[in-house]
Amino acid sequence: LPICHAVRWVIEDRPKVPVDGDQLLAWLEDVDIKSAVFWEFYPDVVVDDPVSSLLAAANLLCRPQDAEGAADRLTRHLLTLWLNVVSERLDRDQALGDLCMGDEILPEGTVPAMTVEDLILAAEDSLLAGDDDEQLNFWSEVVDAVNNSYVVGEGVCATRRLTTRRQMTGRGKPGGKATISKIRN
């Protein structure tokens, strides 16, 4: 179940949601503690009021049409990645090159030895540094590919594709560069 739907369904108090509101709020609090981006750019996602926190998270995760540029798109994908990590769906130490790609593949220029944690740090550093749209779009594509990857037990690793869905539709092009400017603890 995509995290956007899970957040909405918790807000709507639907039955049989695979995650409860308390767990979701705990994950958002964990993101707040570990991320350098969300407390600075999106403090409403991690406020003390549970309903406001969930609504803010849903607005960021579920409304891609409201993204105001590359930074907003990257932030939406980054919050999903953080939630995948704090929920333990993805291991922080997982090398990107060892993931089984889903609907999206890693764009050209991605360093296969980079870990999920390295990716989070690099994407956050890029956002905080105010990098240009080309670099932010590159990180957005990498994070999106990782979010859509399969993990052990979710599916079988198919033959790796060489072209992203965005490239096939003419919306994406190779570019950007995977670099890590600094490491944060």
Side-chain angles (χ1 to χ4, degrees):
L1 178 69
I3 192 67
C4 164
H5 297 307
V7 174
R8 283 183 176 166
W9 293 355
V10 165
I11 292 168
E12 295 168 4
D13 199 25
R14 288 191 187 184
K16 299 181 183 177
V17 178
V19 62
D20 67 28
D22 290 337
Q23 183 64 64
L24 193 52
L25 287 167
W27 291 340
L28 288 171
E29 185 176 328
D30 204 11
V31 170
D32 182 40
I33 292 166
K34 295 176 180 173
S35 170
V37 169
F38 293 99
W39 62 266
E40 184 169 335
F41 294 126
Y42 294 91
D44 293 341
V45 172
V46 285
V47 295
D48 292 331
D49 174 26
V51 174
S52 294
S53 296
L54 293 174
L55 286 171
N59 284 338
L60 182 58
L61 293 166
C62 304
R63 301 187 54 103
Q65 68 276 13
D66 291 345
E68 294 182 19
D72 276 357
R73 281 189 301 281
L74 174 54
T75 304
R76 180 173 53 88
H77 291 306
L78 190 58
L79 180 55
T80 301
L81 181 58
W82 265 114
L83 291 170
N84 279 324
V85 168
V86 299
S87 69
E88 299 180 354
R89 178 186 174 269
L90 282 174
D91 183 352
R92 299 174 82 106
D93 297 324
Q94 176 74 51
L96 303 186
D98 293 338
L99 292 168
C100 295
M101 292 293 100
D103 291 339
E104 298 291 338
I105 65 167
L106 295 170
E108 185 179 318
T110 304
V111 176
M114 177 181 259
T115 65
V116 170
E117 182 171 19
D118 294 336
L119 173 59
I120 288 171
L121 294 171
E124 286 197 353
D125 286 346
S126 190
L127 279 165
L128 293 169
D131 285 348
D132 63 30
D133 283 356
E134 182 177 349
Q135 188 66 45
L136 296 175
N137 284 328
F138 170 76
W139 289 122
S140 186
E141 287 186 26
V142 175
V143 172
D144 188 32
V146 171
N147 283 333
N148 285 293
S149 66
Y150 295 106
V151 295
V152 176
E154 285 188 347
V156 178
C157 215
T159 304
R160 295 198 188 275
R161 291 178 289 127
L162 301 175
T163 309
T164 69
R165 186 174 60 193
R166 292 180 57 80
Q167 289 170 340
M168 287 188 282
T169 60
R171 293 180 293 159
K173 57 184 175 186
K177 195 160 109 181
T179 59
I180 303 170
S181 58
K182 60 185 172 183
I183 300 294
R184 287 192 309 272
N185 294 330

